[in-house]
Amino acid sequence: MEPEQESVNSLVALGLSRYEARVYLALVRRDSYTAAEVAREAEVPRQRIYDVLDGLVRAQLAVAHRGRVATFGAVAPELALTRLMARQREALERLEHVSTGLTAALLPLWEAGRSHTDPLDYIEVLRDPRTIAERFADIQDQAGRELLTFCRPPFVAPAANLPGLKAARRLRRRGGTVRALYTFDALSDEEVLENVARFGEAGEEARFTEELPLKLVIADASLVLCDMPDPVAGTGATTALYIEHPALAACLRLAFLTVWEGAETIQRVRDGGGVRQG
């Protein structure tokens, strides 16, 4: 770095603007300059030079010599730097005072917050279908060992469910488990069957059962996403719960495994062993 540029940077660090630093360094080179001369010497725009000089004069880093044509000179460097350091100390003292007052104001709030607990802070209530779809993608993405799903319509995620396919492949590579349960009704839906096949190729195990009570996703026996259908028939409204609670997730995992053990593979269903006759 050139010596002059280093001096400019040092003066900026002491509180001057870059234009002020360049003009001060120009002023120290000789006894006095007119405004136009110092603008050329410091390479500062002419329309800015008077503001810059006025700032240096007010900071007592330069002096103005009045006459037919005003000229300007620099205050001796040792005095100028002493004044700059004094300004920095004053600014630091003001900041320390502000910091002390702010600490006194915020500390009681912080201490009160440490003793506050929300008994339901592990539950997020979701009603917007788009937000529910986003949480569904999140829980699939967070699964590190196991992903269990009750799949029943209506589906809020896009049919392709790319995050789910990515999670299935990732878990399969790691030796994890991906299982999904569908109802027998899905066998008559070509789009669902295509998804079952696609997820099967990605590593998901699928089984079919007569009925599923709700939509449910369990990740790593710790995260749960489930829907809570509106009990008023025909409204079509639903509320989803996103829950981070290992104990509850473990209970729901046991429920999933119970249904899983009694469910049928797609091959057995097609062989006629899974669908009720009548």
Side-chain angles (χ1 to χ4, degrees), residues 103-142:
T103 300
L106 294 180
L107 187 58
L109 298 176
W110 184 84
E111 291 175 341
R114 304 287 71 73
S115 62
H116 172 76
T117 57
D118 185 343
L120 296 178
D121 61 2
Y122 51 84
I123 298 178
E124 184 179 3
V125 180
L126 311 169
R127 294 186 175 88
D128 176 52
R130 184 172 62 179
T131 304
I132 296 172
E134 290 172 353
R135 289 295 179 277
F136 181 42
D138 289 343
I139 198 170
Q140 293 175 114
D141 185 59
Q142 292 181 66

mmCIF file of all heavy atoms in Angstrom, residues 103-142:
data_model
loop_
_atom_site.group_PDB
_atom_site.id
_atom_site.type_symbol
_atom_site.label_atom_id
_atom_site.label_comp_id
_atom_site.label_asym_id
_atom_site.label_seq_id
_atom_site.Cartn_x
_atom_site.Cartn_y
_atom_site.Cartn_z
ATOM 1 N N THR A 103 -27.827 -1.795 29.307
ATOM 2 C CA THR A 103 -27.682 -3.014 30.101
ATOM 3 C C THR A 103 -28.638 -3.009 31.287
ATOM 4 O O THR A 103 -29.299 -4.013 31.589
ATOM 5 C CB THR A 103 -26.238 -3.166 30.599
ATOM 6 O OG1 THR A 103 -25.357 -3.239 29.474
ATOM 7 C CG2 THR A 103 -26.073 -4.413 31.448
ATOM 8 N N ALA A 104 -28.731 -1.869 31.963
ATOM 9 C CA ALA A 104 -29.627 -1.762 33.114
ATOM 10 C C ALA A 104 -31.083 -1.958 32.707
ATOM 11 O O ALA A 104 -31.887 -2.506 33.461
ATOM 12 C CB ALA A 104 -29.442 -0.402 33.788
ATOM 13 N N ALA A 105 -31.435 -1.513 31.494
ATOM 14 C CA ALA A 105 -32.813 -1.644 31.034
ATOM 15 C C ALA A 105 -33.139 -3.062 30.579
ATOM 16 O O ALA A 105 -34.248 -3.560 30.788
ATOM 17 C CB ALA A 105 -33.079 -0.657 29.894
ATOM 18 N N LEU A 106 -32.163 -3.727 29.931
ATOM 19 C CA LEU A 106 -32.436 -5.038 29.344
ATOM 20 C C LEU A 106 -32.233 -6.203 30.314
ATOM 21 O O LEU A 106 -32.863 -7.256 30.152
ATOM 22 C CB LEU A 106 -31.538 -5.250 28.119
ATOM 23 C CG LEU A 106 -31.784 -4.327 26.928
ATOM 24 C CD1 LEU A 106 -30.824 -4.669 25.803
ATOM 25 C CD2 LEU A 106 -33.225 -4.434 26.449
ATOM 26 N N LEU A 107 -31.348 -6.053 31.299
ATOM 27 C CA LEU A 107 -31.052 -7.169 32.191
ATOM 28 C C LEU A 107 -32.282 -7.707 32.911
ATOM 29 O O LEU A 107 -32.479 -8.927 32.967
ATOM 30 C CB LEU A 107 -29.963 -6.759 33.190
ATOM 31 C CG LEU A 107 -29.426 -7.880 34.074
ATOM 32 C CD1 LEU A 107 -28.863 -9.005 33.211
ATOM 33 C CD2 LEU A 107 -28.352 -7.350 35.025
ATOM 34 N N PRO A 108 -33.154 -6.842 33.472
ATOM 35 C CA PRO A 108 -34.350 -7.393 34.128
ATOM 36 C C PRO A 108 -35.245 -8.162 33.157
ATOM 37 O O PRO A 108 -35.834 -9.187 33.529
ATOM 38 C CB PRO A 108 -35.072 -6.137 34.654
ATOM 39 C CG PRO A 108 -34.013 -5.100 34.764
ATOM 40 C CD PRO A 108 -33.071 -5.374 33.643
ATOM 41 N N LEU A 109 -35.338 -7.691 31.904
ATOM 42 C CA LEU A 109 -36.143 -8.402 30.913
ATOM 43 C C LEU A 109 -35.542 -9.760 30.595
ATOM 44 O O LEU A 109 -36.252 -10.758 30.460
ATOM 45 C CB LEU A 109 -36.249 -7.568 29.632
ATOM 46 C CG LEU A 109 -36.932 -6.198 29.770
ATOM 47 C CD1 LEU A 109 -36.878 -5.463 28.434
ATOM 48 C CD2 LEU A 109 -38.381 -6.363 30.214
ATOM 49 N N TRP A 110 -34.210 -9.800 30.488
ATOM 50 C CA TRP A 110 -33.533 -11.060 30.203
ATOM 51 C C TRP A 110 -33.724 -12.050 31.346
ATOM 52 O O TRP A 110 -34.004 -13.231 31.128
ATOM 53 C CB TRP A 110 -32.048 -10.786 29.980
ATOM 54 C CG TRP A 110 -31.260 -12.015 29.588
ATOM 55 C CD1 TRP A 110 -31.122 -12.544 28.345
ATOM 56 C CD2 TRP A 110 -30.523 -12.854 30.477
ATOM 57 N NE1 TRP A 110 -30.336 -13.666 28.389
ATOM 58 C CE2 TRP A 110 -29.954 -13.895 29.683
ATOM 59 C CE3 TRP A 110 -30.281 -12.844 31.847
ATOM 60 C CZ2 TRP A 110 -29.155 -14.891 30.222
ATOM 61 C CZ3 TRP A 110 -29.494 -13.851 32.392
ATOM 62 C CH2 TRP A 110 -28.939 -14.851 31.587
ATOM 63 N N GLU A 111 -33.572 -11.581 32.591
ATOM 64 C CA GLU A 111 -33.729 -12.475 33.740
ATOM 65 C C GLU A 111 -35.158 -12.987 33.852
ATOM 66 O O GLU A 111 -35.391 -14.159 34.181
ATOM 67 C CB GLU A 111 -33.327 -11.731 35.022
ATOM 68 C CG GLU A 111 -31.826 -11.442 35.090
ATOM 69 C CD GLU A 111 -31.454 -10.610 36.292
ATOM 70 O OE1 GLU A 111 -32.372 -9.963 36.869
ATOM 71 O OE2 GLU A 111 -30.259 -10.594 36.668
ATOM 72 N N ALA A 112 -36.135 -12.104 33.552
ATOM 73 C CA ALA A 112 -37.535 -12.547 33.585
ATOM 74 C C ALA A 112 -37.787 -13.596 32.505
ATOM 75 O O ALA A 112 -38.535 -14.556 32.711
ATOM 76 C CB ALA A 112 -38.465 -11.355 33.385
ATOM 77 N N GLY A 113 -37.147 -13.419 31.345
ATOM 78 C CA GLY A 113 -37.334 -14.385 30.271
ATOM 79 C C GLY A 113 -36.766 -15.745 30.591
ATOM 80 O O GLY A 113 -37.267 -16.768 30.119
ATOM 81 N N ARG A 114 -35.714 -15.812 31.437
ATOM 82 C CA ARG A 114 -35.140 -17.106 31.789
ATOM 83 C C ARG A 114 -36.087 -17.942 32.640
ATOM 84 O O ARG A 114 -36.023 -19.155 32.652
ATOM 85 C CB ARG A 114 -33.822 -16.917 32.567
ATOM 86 C CG ARG A 114 -32.766 -16.101 31.878
ATOM 87 C CD ARG A 114 -32.099 -16.831 30.701
ATOM 88 N NE ARG A 114 -32.932 -16.996 29.535
ATOM 89 C CZ ARG A 114 -33.269 -15.998 28.694
ATOM 90 N NH1 ARG A 114 -32.850 -14.766 28.900
ATOM 91 N NH2 ARG A 114 -34.011 -16.221 27.644
ATOM 92 N N SER A 115 -36.963 -17.280 33.388
ATOM 93 C CA SER A 115 -37.878 -18.014 34.269
ATOM 94 C C SER A 115 -39.217 -18.289 33.608
ATOM 95 O O SER A 115 -40.081 -18.935 34.189
ATOM 96 C CB SER A 115 -38.111 -17.206 35.558
ATOM 97 O OG SER A 115 -38.710 -15.962 35.265
ATOM 98 N N HIS A 116 -39.399 -17.792 32.359
ATOM 99 C CA HIS A 116 -40.678 -17.992 31.663
ATOM 100 C C HIS A 116 -40.644 -19.266 30.848
ATOM 101 O O HIS A 116 -39.698 -19.526 30.116
ATOM 102 C CB HIS A 116 -40.955 -16.810 30.733
ATOM 103 C CG HIS A 116 -42.146 -17.030 29.841
ATOM 104 N ND1 HIS A 116 -43.433 -16.935 30.310
ATOM 105 C CD2 HIS A 116 -42.236 -17.374 28.529
ATOM 106 C CE1 HIS A 116 -44.271 -17.191 29.321
ATOM 107 N NE2 HIS A 116 -43.566 -17.466 28.221
ATOM 108 N N THR A 117 -41.630 -20.083 30.997
ATOM 109 C CA THR A 117 -41.765 -21.277 30.175
ATOM 110 C C THR A 117 -43.171 -21.354 29.630
ATOM 111 O O THR A 117 -44.137 -21.052 30.322
ATOM 112 C CB THR A 117 -41.489 -22.550 31.000
ATOM 113 O OG1 THR A 117 -42.375 -22.603 32.118
ATOM 114 C CG2 THR A 117 -40.051 -22.588 31.502
ATOM 115 N N ASP A 118 -43.263 -21.737 28.392
ATOM 116 C CA ASP A 118 -44.551 -21.933 27.745
ATOM 117 C C ASP A 118 -44.808 -23.427 27.683
ATOM 118 O O ASP A 118 -44.049 -24.164 27.053
ATOM 119 C CB ASP A 118 -44.518 -21.349 26.331
ATOM 120 C CG ASP A 118 -45.881 -21.415 25.652
ATOM 121 O OD1 ASP A 118 -46.740 -22.172 26.129
ATOM 122 O OD2 ASP A 118 -46.060 -20.711 24.641
ATOM 123 N N PRO A 119 -45.852 -23.907 28.342
ATOM 124 C CA PRO A 119 -46.080 -25.356 28.378
ATOM 125 C C PRO A 119 -46.330 -25.959 27.007
ATOM 126 O O PRO A 119 -46.277 -27.160 26.847
ATOM 127 C CB PRO A 119 -47.321 -25.475 29.279
ATOM 128 C CG PRO A 119 -48.002 -24.149 29.182
ATOM 129 C CD PRO A 119 -46.897 -23.154 29.049
ATOM 130 N N LEU A 120 -46.614 -25.146 26.005
ATOM 131 C CA LEU A 120 -46.886 -25.679 24.678
ATOM 132 C C LEU A 120 -45.879 -25.185 23.651
ATOM 133 O O LEU A 120 -46.179 -25.143 22.459
ATOM 134 C CB LEU A 120 -48.308 -25.294 24.244
ATOM 135 C CG LEU A 120 -49.449 -25.871 25.089
ATOM 136 C CD1 LEU A 120 -50.783 -25.363 24.563
ATOM 137 C CD2 LEU A 120 -49.425 -27.387 25.091
ATOM 138 N N ASP A 121 -44.679 -24.813 24.108
ATOM 139 C CA ASP A 121 -43.727 -24.264 23.152
ATOM 140 C C ASP A 121 -43.140 -25.322 22.236
ATOM 141 O O ASP A 121 -42.388 -25.008 21.323
ATOM 142 C CB ASP A 121 -42.606 -23.492 23.867
ATOM 143 C CG ASP A 121 -41.795 -24.367 24.817
ATOM 144 O OD1 ASP A 121 -42.080 -25.585 24.896
ATOM 145 O OD2 ASP A 121 -40.885 -23.832 25.467
ATOM 146 N N TYR A 122 -43.486 -26.592 22.451
ATOM 147 C CA TYR A 122 -43.026 -27.647 21.560
ATOM 148 C C TYR A 122 -44.059 -27.998 20.507
ATOM 149 O O TYR A 122 -43.881 -28.938 19.735
ATOM 150 C CB TYR A 122 -42.669 -28.912 22.361
ATOM 151 C CG TYR A 122 -43.752 -29.362 23.319
ATOM 152 C CD1 TYR A 122 -44.810 -30.155 22.884
ATOM 153 C CD2 TYR A 122 -43.708 -28.994 24.663
ATOM 154 C CE1 TYR A 122 -45.814 -30.552 23.751
ATOM 155 C CE2 TYR A 122 -44.704 -29.391 25.528
ATOM 156 C CZ TYR A 122 -45.749 -30.169 25.079
ATOM 157 O OH TYR A 122 -46.733 -30.565 25.946
ATOM 158 N N ILE A 123 -45.167 -27.266 20.471
ATOM 159 C CA ILE A 123 -46.231 -27.523 19.503
ATOM 160 C C ILE A 123 -46.442 -26.289 18.624
ATOM 161 O O ILE A 123 -46.585 -25.181 19.130
ATOM 162 C CB ILE A 123 -47.556 -27.876 20.202
ATOM 163 C CG1 ILE A 123 -47.404 -29.157 21.024
ATOM 164 C CG2 ILE A 123 -48.674 -28.056 19.174
ATOM 165 C CD1 ILE A 123 -48.656 -29.533 21.783
ATOM 166 N N GLU A 124 -46.458 -26.510 17.322
ATOM 167 C CA GLU A 124 -46.768 -25.447 16.375
ATOM 168 C C GLU A 124 -48.076 -25.806 15.680
ATOM 169 O O GLU A 124 -48.206 -26.890 15.108
ATOM 170 C CB GLU A 124 -45.654 -25.296 15.346
ATOM 171 C CG GLU A 124 -45.858 -24.139 14.375
ATOM 172 C CD GLU A 124 -44.717 -23.997 13.387
ATOM 173 O OE1 GLU A 124 -43.793 -24.825 13.416
ATOM 174 O OE2 GLU A 124 -44.763 -23.051 12.572
ATOM 175 N N VAL A 125 -49.049 -24.902 15.754
ATOM 176 C CA VAL A 125 -50.355 -25.137 15.143
ATOM 177 C C VAL A 125 -50.375 -24.508 13.757
ATOM 178 O O VAL A 125 -50.083 -23.328 13.601
ATOM 179 C CB VAL A 125 -51.490 -24.551 16.018
ATOM 180 C CG1 VAL A 125 -52.848 -24.810 15.372
ATOM 181 C CG2 VAL A 125 -51.459 -25.157 17.419
ATOM 182 N N LEU A 126 -50.724 -25.304 12.754
ATOM 183 C CA LEU A 126 -50.681 -24.864 11.358
ATOM 184 C C LEU A 126 -52.058 -25.019 10.726
ATOM 185 O O LEU A 126 -52.697 -26.060 10.856
ATOM 186 C CB LEU A 126 -49.676 -25.702 10.566
ATOM 187 C CG LEU A 126 -48.278 -25.868 11.183
ATOM 188 C CD1 LEU A 126 -47.501 -26.915 10.429
ATOM 189 C CD2 LEU A 126 -47.546 -24.540 11.177
ATOM 190 N N ARG A 127 -52.491 -23.971 10.003
ATOM 191 C CA ARG A 127 -53.781 -24.036 9.321
ATOM 192 C C ARG A 127 -53.690 -23.737 7.827
ATOM 193 O O ARG A 127 -54.566 -24.118 7.068
ATOM 194 C CB ARG A 127 -54.778 -23.071 9.983
ATOM 195 C CG ARG A 127 -55.138 -23.479 11.401
ATOM 196 C CD ARG A 127 -56.242 -22.601 11.976
ATOM 197 N NE ARG A 127 -56.652 -23.073 13.285
ATOM 198 C CZ ARG A 127 -56.091 -22.715 14.433
ATOM 199 N NH1 ARG A 127 -55.067 -21.871 14.406
ATOM 200 N NH2 ARG A 127 -56.512 -23.194 15.584
ATOM 201 N N ASP A 128 -52.650 -23.064 7.420
ATOM 202 C CA ASP A 128 -52.495 -22.722 6.014
ATOM 203 C C ASP A 128 -51.912 -23.915 5.256
ATOM 204 O O ASP A 128 -50.841 -24.429 5.629
ATOM 205 C CB ASP A 128 -51.559 -21.524 5.883
ATOM 206 C CG ASP A 128 -51.278 -21.169 4.434
ATOM 207 O OD1 ASP A 128 -52.251 -21.001 3.678
ATOM 208 O OD2 ASP A 128 -50.095 -21.083 4.061
ATOM 209 N N PRO A 129 -52.566 -24.398 4.203
ATOM 210 C CA PRO A 129 -52.075 -25.567 3.463
ATOM 211 C C PRO A 129 -50.636 -25.412 2.969
ATOM 212 O O PRO A 129 -49.859 -26.365 2.976
ATOM 213 C CB PRO A 129 -53.056 -25.689 2.297
ATOM 214 C CG PRO A 129 -54.311 -25.074 2.807
ATOM 215 C CD PRO A 129 -53.877 -23.940 3.683
ATOM 216 N N ARG A 130 -50.266 -24.210 2.545
ATOM 217 C CA ARG A 130 -48.902 -24.016 2.063
ATOM 218 C C ARG A 130 -47.890 -24.193 3.190
ATOM 219 O O ARG A 130 -46.841 -24.813 3.003
ATOM 220 C CB ARG A 130 -48.764 -22.625 1.433
ATOM 221 C CG ARG A 130 -47.390 -22.388 0.819
ATOM 222 C CD ARG A 130 -47.338 -21.097 0.038
ATOM 223 N NE ARG A 130 -47.598 -19.946 0.886
ATOM 224 C CZ ARG A 130 -47.597 -18.692 0.455
ATOM 225 N NH1 ARG A 130 -47.396 -18.444 -0.834
ATOM 226 N NH2 ARG A 130 -47.842 -17.693 1.280
ATOM 227 N N THR A 131 -48.218 -23.655 4.371
ATOM 228 C CA THR A 131 -47.322 -23.809 5.513
ATOM 229 C C THR A 131 -47.224 -25.267 5.930
ATOM 230 O O THR A 131 -46.150 -25.757 6.288
ATOM 231 C CB THR A 131 -47.817 -22.960 6.700
ATOM 232 O OG1 THR A 131 -47.942 -21.594 6.284
ATOM 233 C CG2 THR A 131 -46.851 -23.039 7.866
ATOM 234 N N ILE A 132 -48.358 -25.979 5.890
ATOM 235 C CA ILE A 132 -48.348 -27.399 6.226
ATOM 236 C C ILE A 132 -47.437 -28.151 5.261
ATOM 237 O O ILE A 132 -46.636 -29.008 5.671
ATOM 238 C CB ILE A 132 -49.776 -27.970 6.197
ATOM 239 C CG1 ILE A 132 -50.629 -27.304 7.291
ATOM 240 C CG2 ILE A 132 -49.754 -29.483 6.396
ATOM 241 C CD1 ILE A 132 -52.111 -27.660 7.210
ATOM 242 N N ALA A 133 -47.530 -27.832 3.968
ATOM 243 C CA ALA A 133 -46.675 -28.481 2.978
ATOM 244 C C ALA A 133 -45.200 -28.183 3.250
ATOM 245 O O ALA A 133 -44.330 -29.057 3.094
ATOM 246 C CB ALA A 133 -47.060 -28.019 1.577
ATOM 247 N N GLU A 134 -44.892 -26.965 3.678
ATOM 248 C CA GLU A 134 -43.510 -26.601 3.988
ATOM 249 C C GLU A 134 -42.986 -27.392 5.180
ATOM 250 O O GLU A 134 -41.846 -27.864 5.181
ATOM 251 C CB GLU A 134 -43.416 -25.102 4.262
ATOM 252 C CG GLU A 134 -43.612 -24.234 3.021
ATOM 253 C CD GLU A 134 -43.700 -22.753 3.365
ATOM 254 O OE1 GLU A 134 -43.735 -22.425 4.570
ATOM 255 O OE2 GLU A 134 -43.730 -21.933 2.427
ATOM 256 N N ARG A 135 -43.840 -27.558 6.226
ATOM 257 C CA ARG A 135 -43.409 -28.334 7.391
ATOM 258 C C ARG A 135 -43.236 -29.806 7.028
ATOM 259 O O ARG A 135 -42.376 -30.493 7.563
ATOM 260 C CB ARG A 135 -44.421 -28.186 8.527
ATOM 261 C CG ARG A 135 -44.420 -26.826 9.180
ATOM 262 C CD ARG A 135 -43.100 -26.540 9.883
ATOM 263 N NE ARG A 135 -43.115 -25.219 10.488
ATOM 264 C CZ ARG A 135 -42.840 -24.100 9.829
ATOM 265 N NH1 ARG A 135 -42.498 -24.151 8.558
ATOM 266 N NH2 ARG A 135 -42.874 -22.935 10.445
ATOM 267 N N PHE A 136 -44.082 -30.300 6.124
ATOM 268 C CA PHE A 136 -43.945 -31.672 5.663
ATOM 269 C C PHE A 136 -42.587 -31.856 4.996
ATOM 270 O O PHE A 136 -41.881 -32.846 5.234
ATOM 271 C CB PHE A 136 -45.090 -32.000 4.703
ATOM 272 C CG PHE A 136 -45.076 -33.412 4.176
ATOM 273 C CD1 PHE A 136 -44.790 -34.479 5.007
ATOM 274 C CD2 PHE A 136 -45.345 -33.660 2.839
ATOM 275 C CE1 PHE A 136 -44.781 -35.782 4.524
ATOM 276 C CE2 PHE A 136 -45.340 -34.947 2.340
ATOM 277 C CZ PHE A 136 -45.051 -36.015 3.188
ATOM 278 N N ALA A 137 -42.200 -30.896 4.164
ATOM 279 C CA ALA A 137 -40.880 -30.956 3.529
ATOM 280 C C ALA A 137 -39.768 -30.870 4.581
ATOM 281 O O ALA A 137 -38.761 -31.586 4.501
ATOM 282 C CB ALA A 137 -40.740 -29.829 2.512
ATOM 283 N N ASP A 138 -39.956 -30.013 5.588
ATOM 284 C CA ASP A 138 -38.946 -29.842 6.639
ATOM 285 C C ASP A 138 -38.709 -31.137 7.408
ATOM 286 O O ASP A 138 -37.564 -31.527 7.661
ATOM 287 C CB ASP A 138 -39.380 -28.750 7.627
ATOM 288 C CG ASP A 138 -39.306 -27.359 7.034
ATOM 289 O OD1 ASP A 138 -38.638 -27.200 5.998
ATOM 290 O OD2 ASP A 138 -39.924 -26.442 7.604
ATOM 291 N N ILE A 139 -39.816 -31.801 7.819
ATOM 292 C CA ILE A 139 -39.659 -32.982 8.664
ATOM 293 C C ILE A 139 -39.014 -34.119 7.887
ATOM 294 O O ILE A 139 -38.244 -34.908 8.426
ATOM 295 C CB ILE A 139 -41.029 -33.405 9.271
ATOM 296 C CG1 ILE A 139 -40.808 -34.337 10.480
ATOM 297 C CG2 ILE A 139 -41.922 -34.069 8.246
ATOM 298 C CD1 ILE A 139 -42.077 -34.600 11.263
ATOM 299 N N GLN A 140 -39.284 -34.196 6.585
ATOM 300 C CA GLN A 140 -38.617 -35.200 5.765
ATOM 301 C C GLN A 140 -37.132 -34.891 5.642
ATOM 302 O O GLN A 140 -36.292 -35.789 5.690
ATOM 303 C CB GLN A 140 -39.265 -35.254 4.373
ATOM 304 C CG GLN A 140 -40.690 -35.782 4.395
ATOM 305 C CD GLN A 140 -41.337 -35.709 3.017
ATOM 306 O OE1 GLN A 140 -41.630 -36.732 2.418
ATOM 307 N NE2 GLN A 140 -41.546 -34.494 2.513
ATOM 308 N N ASP A 141 -36.828 -33.619 5.502
ATOM 309 C CA ASP A 141 -35.432 -33.199 5.359
ATOM 310 C C ASP A 141 -34.637 -33.438 6.644
ATOM 311 O O ASP A 141 -33.446 -33.727 6.604
ATOM 312 C CB ASP A 141 -35.381 -31.720 4.969
ATOM 313 C CG ASP A 141 -33.966 -31.254 4.691
ATOM 314 O OD1 ASP A 141 -33.325 -31.828 3.795
ATOM 315 O OD2 ASP A 141 -33.499 -30.330 5.372
ATOM 316 N N GLN A 142 -35.299 -33.321 7.809
ATOM 317 C CA GLN A 142 -34.605 -33.468 9.088
ATOM 318 C C GLN A 142 -34.413 -34.921 9.498
ATOM 319 O O GLN A 142 -33.585 -35.206 10.370
ATOM 320 C CB GLN A 142 -35.382 -32.723 10.186
ATOM 321 C CG GLN A 142 -35.371 -31.214 10.031
ATOM 322 C CD GLN A 142 -36.124 -30.532 11.152
ATOM 323 O OE1 GLN A 142 -35.715 -30.587 12.320
ATOM 324 N NE2 GLN A 142 -37.230 -29.892 10.829
#
